[in-house]
Amino acid sequence: MTRTAEKNNSIRTCLACGAERRREDLVRFVVAAGGITPDWRGVLPGRAVYACPTPACLDRFCRLRRFPDRFFSGAPVFAVPRENMMAWVQERAEESLLHFLRLARKSGALMPGQNAARAVTAPAAVLISRDTAERTASLVMRGLPDGTVIIRWGTKQRLGAALGLRPLGVAAIAASPLASRIVHYASIANLFGQES
Ligand SMILES: [Zn+2]
């Protein structure tokens, strides 16, 4: 495969802001007969358009009154209306986050517990629940090598339950493709989240 073919295969353009990003980093929408259906997992057949997973781009996307002529002419009808879009994305992002956390746990890439953050050699990311005390959080962070991504997300209860464990405040994720998906979906969940 040539470089160009590879690029064409994986790079898509956000219809709202024009940014070019990797396909898996955008939200996919399938276009059929003037209907615009969000396709979070990227599995629905059909022509597709893309938008950045940010409140600004999705809001602008949902306000589009015209799509490029190659899709259709006339006013688009959105399967998820604008007023529900932010909540919809947040729910999908959290589902994906939990899915990848479970996968990471199953494959041994995720180690639960405060000590794990130190025990994992060069963890790619450390997830700390929002209800972990600041003092504990800064203790955990102090020991981490430069470049470790810190994610604050969820509660001890949710994080533990997601992994089939007791309430859990800290989990370390070893460098792996799963780690980058976890960081990706956690940042989207936080971006759209209502929790402070
Ligand atoms: Zn965009």
Side-chain angles (χ1 to χ4, degrees), residues 136-151:
T136 309
S138 47
L139 264 173
V140 169
M141 289 188 263
R142 199 177 301 160
L144 296 173
D146 289 347
T148 309
V149 180
I150 311 290
I151 314 158

Side-chain angles (χ1 to χ4, degrees), residues 180-195:
S180 63
R181 295 330 282 164
I182 288 168
V183 170
H184 175 70
Y185 289 118
S187 22
I188 297 176
N190 285 338
L191 205 53
F192 286 84
Q194 305 301 311
E195 52 182 352

Side-chain angles (χ1 to χ4, degrees), residues 85-173:
M85 181 54 84
M86 306 304 147
W88 187 89
V89 170
Q90 197 210 344
E91 281 167 30
R92 298 292 90 68
E94 298 220 339
E95 280 170 15
S96 295
L97 172 62
L98 295 178
H99 168 74
F100 282 103
L101 284 172
R102 280 186 212 109
L103 274 186
R105 172 72 173 149
K106 237 185 238 174
S107 70
L110 182 147
M111 261 65 70
Q114 279 178 47
N115 295 329
R118 262 178 292 261
V120 176
T121 315
V126 172
L127 200 156
I128 305 174
S129 74
R130 289 188 182 279
D131 56 355
T132 291
E134 287 311 317
R135 202 171 149 271
T136 309
S138 47
L139 264 173
V140 169
M141 289 188 263
R142 199 177 301 160
L144 296 173
D146 289 347
T148 309
V149 180
I150 311 290
I151 314 158
R152 296 301 298 262
W153 175 83
T155 60
K156 293 177 189 174
Q157 191 65 44
R158 263 198 101 186
L159 182 56
L163 298 169
L165 300 168
R166 282 185 288 182
L168 175 69
V170 180
I173 301 126

